[in-house]
């Protein structure tokens, strides 16, 4: 941690949209972009921003968006803008370049998440930041255990990252400890769906690590250590306590799952 951000972490929330394509969820909700689709009675981006803002670890909040006006019109977000807590950064042509644009001039460390990570609570963002700081990682990725994800969503995903110490799912949350480690954002080029597109692992991590990954050689820590040597800084996997951290709103099915989990959460609160 450095003092440039007063001991806090900068949050980078990715809220872009695909060029020339109206997301089906946005079309159904009658809005211009997916991130403002209401989930559990609140726009996705508002829910994520409010939970990020409530984490004691988070300082400045940066929202990377192609169409910020629709987001800025949300009263709670407008309030954070007026307070100087939140700023908008323009989205670029793809995810990685949008990360670079959003991080320009930011204070490190940076926690990156997405506008559809609606199930993360303030304590989840705090947990991820605390674990990343404690690990001393240059960069890190949040993972959830296979059994925890299945417990949260029994009818959910069928594919997981399989290591010798178990199966894991990506949580769409990343840690960038310093400017040098920003190059780790290249891992996300093309969306980061490595299980579906093996060539992305080869491009980001190297062919040998691709083989290790699919043959399940070693623990996740061993694979990340190999990748760290390729990148020249420490890249670590950080396991979250809750399986819901791996569930984001991608389509109608995950929209319904997210709403059900939000209702359940409210009932037990």
């Amino acid at each position: 941690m450095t003092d440039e951000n007063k001991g806090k972490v900068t949050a980078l929330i990715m809220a872009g949209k695909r060029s020339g394509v109206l997301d089906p969820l946005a079309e159904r909700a009658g809005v211009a972009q997916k991130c403002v689709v209401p989930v559990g009675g609140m726009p996705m981006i508002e829910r994520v921003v409010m939970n990020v803002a409530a984490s004691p670890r988070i300082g400045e909040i940066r929202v990377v968006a192609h169409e910020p006006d629709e987001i800025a019109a949300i009263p709670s977000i407008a309030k954070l803008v007026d307070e100087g807590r939140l700023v908008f950064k323009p989205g670029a042509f793809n995810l990685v370049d949008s990360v670079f644009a959003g991080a320009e001039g930011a204070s490190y460390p940076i926690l990156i998440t997405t506008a559809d990570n609606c199930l993360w609570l303030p304590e989840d963002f705090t947990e991820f930041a605390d674990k990343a700081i404690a690990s001393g990682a240059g960069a890190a990725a949040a993972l959830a255990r296979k059994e925890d994800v299945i417990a949260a969503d029994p009818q959910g995903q069928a594919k997981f990252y399989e290591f010798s110490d178990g199966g894991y799912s990506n949580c769409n949350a990343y840690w960038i400890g310093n400017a040098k480690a920003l190059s780790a954002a290249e891992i996300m080029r093309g969306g980061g769906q490595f299980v579906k597109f093996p060539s992305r692992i080869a491009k980001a991590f190297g062919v040998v690590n691709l083989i290790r990954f699919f043959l399940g050689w070693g623990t996740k820590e061993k694979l990340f250590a190999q990748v760290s040597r390729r990148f020249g800084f420490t890249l670590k996997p950080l396991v979250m306590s809750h399986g819901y951290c791996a569930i984001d709103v991608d389509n109608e099915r995950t929209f319904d799952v997210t709403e059900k989990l939000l209702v359940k959460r409210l009932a037990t609160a």
Side-chain angles (χ1 to χ4, degrees):
M1 293 288 287
T2 66
D3 292 330
E4 60 179 331
N5 205 18
K6 297 179 181 178
K8 299 278 189 174
V9 174
T10 299
L12 200 62
I13 302 175
M14 310 307 296
K17 58 181 290 187
R18 293 177 182 174
S19 179
V21 178
L22 181 59
D23 182 89
L25 291 174
E27 185 174 18
R28 188 196 66 181
V31 295
Q33 53 192 322
K34 174 185 155 187
C35 71
V36 296
V37 171
V39 178
M42 181 183 293
M44 292 190 213
I45 182 65
E46 182 179 17
R47 187 177 295 279
V48 174
V49 166
M50 292 302 105
N51 284 326
V52 165
S55 167
R57 273 295 187 193
I58 305 298
E60 182 184 41
I61 301 168
R62 294 178 165 215
V63 175
V64 181
H66 293 99
E67 296 186 12
D69 291 349
E70 192 177 31
I71 302 169
I74 298 170
S76 61
I77 291 179
K79 184 173 183 291
L80 288 172
V81 172
D82 290 342
E83 293 171 352
R85 179 90 187 274
L86 186 150
V87 297
F88 285 94
K89 296 294 178 180
F93 179 72
N94 57 55
L95 177 61
V96 175
D97 291 332
S98 291
V99 169
F100 289 147
E104 186 175 356
S107 297
Y108 289 88
I110 297 173
L111 188 160
I112 303 171
T113 191
T114 56
D116 56 7
N117 256 3
C118 300
L119 291 171
W120 279 58
L121 292 167
E123 50 264 41
D124 299 313
F125 290 110
T126 300
E127 176 190 353
F128 183 47
D130 285 347
K131 285 182 173 178
I133 292 165
S135 76
L143 303 177
R145 297 178 185 87
K146 178 179 180 177
E147 54 269 31
D148 293 339
V149 178
I150 292 173
D153 180 16
Q155 307 303 317
Q157 68 188 79
K159 293 184 177 181
F160 292 85
Y161 303 115
E162 297 290 348
F163 303 99
S164 64
D165 58 337
Y168 294 85
S169 181
N170 176 33
C171 294
N172 278 344
Y174 306 92
W175 179 264
I176 306 293
N178 51 61
K180 179 184 177 184
L182 186 60
S183 62
E186 287 290 344
I187 296 170
M188 295 184 288
R189 192 174 291 279
Q193 296 296 326
F194 295 122
V195 173
K196 297 178 184 177
F197 304 101
S199 62
R200 292 177 183 170
I201 302 178
K203 185 176 180 181
F205 298 145
V207 175
V208 173
N209 287 319
L210 171 65
I211 295 170
R212 286 195 181 97
F213 180 86
F214 280 98
L215 292 182
W217 291 353
T219 64
K220 61 188 178 303
E221 284 78 15
K222 183 176 180 180
L223 177 65
F224 272 70
Q226 293 283 348
V227 173
S228 296
R229 284 194 280 276
R230 181 178 176 87
F231 276 91
F233 55 81
T234 304
L235 178 67
K236 292 199 173 183
L238 301 176
V239 180
M240 301 298 296
S241 296
H242 302 288
Y244 62 69
C245 288
I247 302 170
D248 56 10
V249 183
D250 277 333
N251 48 42
E252 288 286 352
R253 195 200 72 79
T254 50
F255 176 92
D256 292 339
V257 168
T258 299
E259 285 219 313
K260 288 176 183 176
L261 289 174
L262 288 171
V263 169
K264 183 179 178 181
R265 179 181 290 171
L266 186 63
T268 58

